[in-house]
Amino acid sequence: QVQLVESGGGSVQAGGSLTLSCAASIERYISSAVCMGWFRQAPGKEREGIASIDMNGNIRYANSVKDRFTISKDNAKNTLLLQMNSLTAEDSAMYYCAAGGYCPTFQFGRWGQGTQVTVSS
């Protein structure tokens, strides 16, 4: 079973940027996955699916991150990326890389341990 390992989280000031990475333990997993994406969860809040990309390259974003975040694949590195710009305090959360499930509704079947993003205003 694939393991997903996130990295790239940290602390940043409002208006700043971060790029999250997700490495898969199985070779060529990222390029061939039916559905991959990211979700986040802040303390006391429900999980929020924020971005997904399916095997045909169809990309979806939650309204909360649209036009600020970009999901992409680096197939050569077997890595999923999330470029986050114009960050606000509302973006502070644990971010999880996820795979499987149903992309259009951000429902995923498996995910990693997460990486923390903290945005200070």
Side-chain angles (χ1 to χ4, degrees), residues 25-114:
S25 60
I26 297 176
E27 189 174 351
R28 292 188 292 276
Y29 185 88
I30 299 293
S31 61
S32 61
V34 172
C35 173
M36 294 215 62
W38 295 88
F39 67 88
R40 65 187 182 185
Q41 189 163 22
K45 294 187 177 180
E46 292 190 356
R47 177 185 301 181
E48 178 188 20
I50 57 174
S52 68
I53 180 169
D54 67 22
M55 65 184 307
N56 296 317
N58 296 306
I59 291 175
R60 297 168 179 85
Y61 296 104
N63 288 334
S64 59
V65 305
K66 197 172 184 180
D67 298 327
R68 298 188 299 123
F69 290 12
T70 302
I71 187 172
S72 63
K73 295 181 178 181
D74 186 337
N75 293 331
K77 296 182 178 180
N78 199 29
T79 300
L80 183 72
L81 302 170
L82 184 69
Q83 172 69 42
M84 307 186 295
N85 298 325
S86 302
L87 288 162
T88 73
E90 294 298 309
D91 295 314
S92 295
M94 186 71 82
Y95 283 70
Y96 297 87
C97 170
Y102 187 58
C103 267
T105 56
F106 305 115
Q107 292 176 298
F108 306 107
R110 60 186 63 87
W111 46 89
Q113 295 297 309

